[in-house]
């Protein structure tokens, strides 16, 4: 009987050992598999990091060259306009570093929300008084014309028809979207538009030296400027594709311009830009991953990058 029990114990022990070996083997295989996947993930991660670093380096190289080139060319031309070839997309083949698309676009093309006031930072520039109110009419919120000026000006005293709140920044915004965050009067629809209506971003920019480049301003901005009705604004947009404007004298010769058009636009418009948007994008070729894109805004006068966004 005892012999029989010992035999059973030995069988159970062998079964236990076999089960233990199977479990251990499974664990080892799982660990090996997990380690393999970990290594693969790390290698891929390092590969992505290397690719991102290479893409960022290339973007910096392109940006420096574009900024310096436009800075050196600043005084050689009377205008920045759509006919100039350096504002068209450039496709650059860098061989092992892939194919890149580079395009630069002048800004200063909308109402300068950071330069609406006189040097006291409180008094609205006279030339912007009527366009500012008409813009809010277009947005469907005339009642916000004065409160938003209170939001932007330097002091904490409300204007007639305006209001001052504790949340008001009382300074120009660093970005248009800051108005959505800091002003309870501005809704996403007012800021970005909707229902077929334009938004504040379609009319205003923080990147401007205080005047609007007539060669790039959208028609909705042009038609709000004094002396430019919707017909004349549309003509400017159409004609500047082939014959850009270089001076107020050119504006005065346009069919439909009144004898006072140039005078009304003085101190309001320009034909050159100070700020530019640079788009740099890599295309996938061979082993070089594509999809990296960079949106850069720079100041031509100082040759400094003001904003760098990656996607």
């Amino acid at each position: 009987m005892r012999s029989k029990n010992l035999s059973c114990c030995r069988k159970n022990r062998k079964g236990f050992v076999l089960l233990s070996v199977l479990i251990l083997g499974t664990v080892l295989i799982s660990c090996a598999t997990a380690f393999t996947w970990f290594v693969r993930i790390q290698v891929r991660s390092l590969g992505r990091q290397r690719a991102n670093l290479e893409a960022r380096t290339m973007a910096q190289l392109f940006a420096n060259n574009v900024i310096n080139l436009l800075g050196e060319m600043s005084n050689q031309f009377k205008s920045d306009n759509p006919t100039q070839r350096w504002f068209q997309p450039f496709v650059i083949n860098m061989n092992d570093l892939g194919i890149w698309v580079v395009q630069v676009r002048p800004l200063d093309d909308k109402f300068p929300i950071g330069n609406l006031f006189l040097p006291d930072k409180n008094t609205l520039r006279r030339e912007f008084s009527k366009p500012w109110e008409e813009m809010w009419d277009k947005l469907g919120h005339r009642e916000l014309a004065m409160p938003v000026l209170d939001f932007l000006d330097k002091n904490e005293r409300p204007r007639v028809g305006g209001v001052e709140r504790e949340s008001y920044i009382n300074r120009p915004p660093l970005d248009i979207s800051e108005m959505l965050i800091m002003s309870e009067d501005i809704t996403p629809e007012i800021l970005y538009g909707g229902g077929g209506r334009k938004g504040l971003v379609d009319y205003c920019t923080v990147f401007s030296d205080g005047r609007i480049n007539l060669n790039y301003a959208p028609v909705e901005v042009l038609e709000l400027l004094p002396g430019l009705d919707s017909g004349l604004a549309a003509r400017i947009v159409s004609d500047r594709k082939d014959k850009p404007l270089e001076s107020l004298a050119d504006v005065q010769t346009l069919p439909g311009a009144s004898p006072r058009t140039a005078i009304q636009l003085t101190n309001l418009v320009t034909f050159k830009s100070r700020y530019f948007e640079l788009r740099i994008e890599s295309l996938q070729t061979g082993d070089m991953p594509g999809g990296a894109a960079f949106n850069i805004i720079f100041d031509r006068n100082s040759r400094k990058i003001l904003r760098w966004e990656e996607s």
Side-chain angles (χ1 to χ4, degrees):
M1 186 71 177
R2 184 177 181 182
S3 175
K4 186 176 181 180
N5 289 336
L6 287 173
S7 177
C8 290
C9 288
R10 290 193 187 97
K11 290 181 179 179
N12 290 337
R13 191 175 298 161
K14 289 180 180 179
F16 177 76
V17 171
L18 180 60
L19 181 61
S20 299
V21 170
L22 290 174
I23 293 174
L24 180 59
T26 302
V27 170
L28 291 174
I29 292 173
S30 299
C31 289
T33 302
F35 181 74
T36 301
W37 278 107
F38 173 77
V39 171
R40 289 181 179 178
I41 291 172
Q42 292 302 309
V43 169
R44 289 176 182 174
S45 177
L46 290 173
R48 284 195 297 269
Q49 291 179 22
R50 178 181 177 181
N52 290 339
L53 180 59
E54 290 178 349
R56 195 172 295 118
T57 301
M58 291 300 300
Q60 184 69 62
L61 177 64
F62 288 136
N64 289 342
N65 286 332
V66 168
I67 292 170
N68 289 331
L69 179 62
L70 285 182
E72 293 170 2
M73 294 168 52
S74 178
N75 296 323
Q76 299 180 24
F77 300 91
K78 295 181 179 180
S79 70
D80 295 310
N81 63 76
T83 68
Q84 293 164 326
R85 59 184 178 83
W86 44 88
F87 294 136
Q88 306 304 315
F90 279 83
V91 178
I92 305 173
N93 188 347
M94 299 297 292
N95 297 322
D96 293 341
L97 295 177
I99 296 176
W100 296 77
V101 180
V102 179
Q103 183 171 16
V104 61
R105 183 180 74 87
L107 298 178
D108 297 81
D109 54 346
K110 299 172 185 175
F111 292 137
I113 207 166
N115 299 87
L116 293 172
F117 304 107
L118 294 177
D120 64 4
K121 305 299 182 183
N122 298 310
T123 306
L124 181 66
R125 290 164 55 186
R126 183 177 180 181
E127 58 267 26
F128 277 113
S129 179
K130 187 176 180 180
W132 180 256
E133 293 182 356
E134 291 183 351
M135 179 192 75
W136 286 100
D137 279 338
K138 294 285 187 180
L139 293 172
H141 291 277
R142 178 66 176 265
E143 76 281 0
L144 294 181
M146 293 301 107
V148 172
L149 289 178
D150 283 330
F151 174 79
L152 297 171
D153 66 13
K154 185 177 180 180
N155 66 38
E156 298 180 358
R157 299 187 302 273
R159 303 166 185 271
V160 176
V163 63
E164 286 283 357
R165 298 190 173 95
E166 291 184 2
S167 61
Y168 279 6
I169 58 177
N170 290 312
R171 60 165 174 77
L174 302 176
D175 186 271
I176 293 291
S177 61
E178 189 176 18
M179 300 182 69
L180 177 64
I181 299 171
M182 301 298 294
S183 174
E184 60 189 69
D185 298 310
I186 304 298
T187 65
E189 184 177 1
I190 293 174
L191 187 65
Y192 300 111
R197 192 188 296 272
K198 298 287 186 180
L200 194 60
V201 295
D202 297 300
Y203 292 98
C204 299
T205 179
V206 298
F207 298 106
S208 173
D209 70 350
R211 294 184 295 172
I212 300 167
N213 187 339
L214 286 187
N215 287 311
Y216 277 93
V219 66
E220 60 265 19
V221 170
L222 291 176
E223 62 187 12
L224 295 182
L225 299 181
L228 301 182
D229 57 22
S230 58
L232 188 53
R235 180 178 293 278
I236 290 175
V237 172
S238 176
D239 291 356
R240 70 190 182 188
K241 296 176 183 178
D242 301 311
K243 187 180 179 182
L245 301 167
E246 295 185 345
S247 68
L248 285 173
D250 290 342
V251 177
Q252 199 63 62
T253 62
L254 292 173
S258 73
R260 298 185 64 251
T261 297
I263 297 175
Q264 290 175 294
L265 293 175
T266 303
N267 298 325
L268 252 179
V269 303
T270 184
F271 305 92
K272 300 183 70 174
S273 292
R274 174 176 177 176
Y275 298 95
F276 295 81
E277 180 181 32
L278 175 61
R279 170 82 176 180
I280 302 172
E281 186 174 1
S282 67
L283 304 180
Q284 184 172 2
T285 56
D287 296 331
M288 184 68 183
F294 303 84
N295 288 309
I296 302 163
I297 293 177
F298 65 91
D299 179 345
R300 176 164 64 183
N301 290 4
S302 65
R303 303 193 186 187
K304 291 183 178 180
I305 292 175
L306 306 179
R307 177 177 297 175
W308 180 290
E309 297 178 346
E310 301 180 13
S311 59

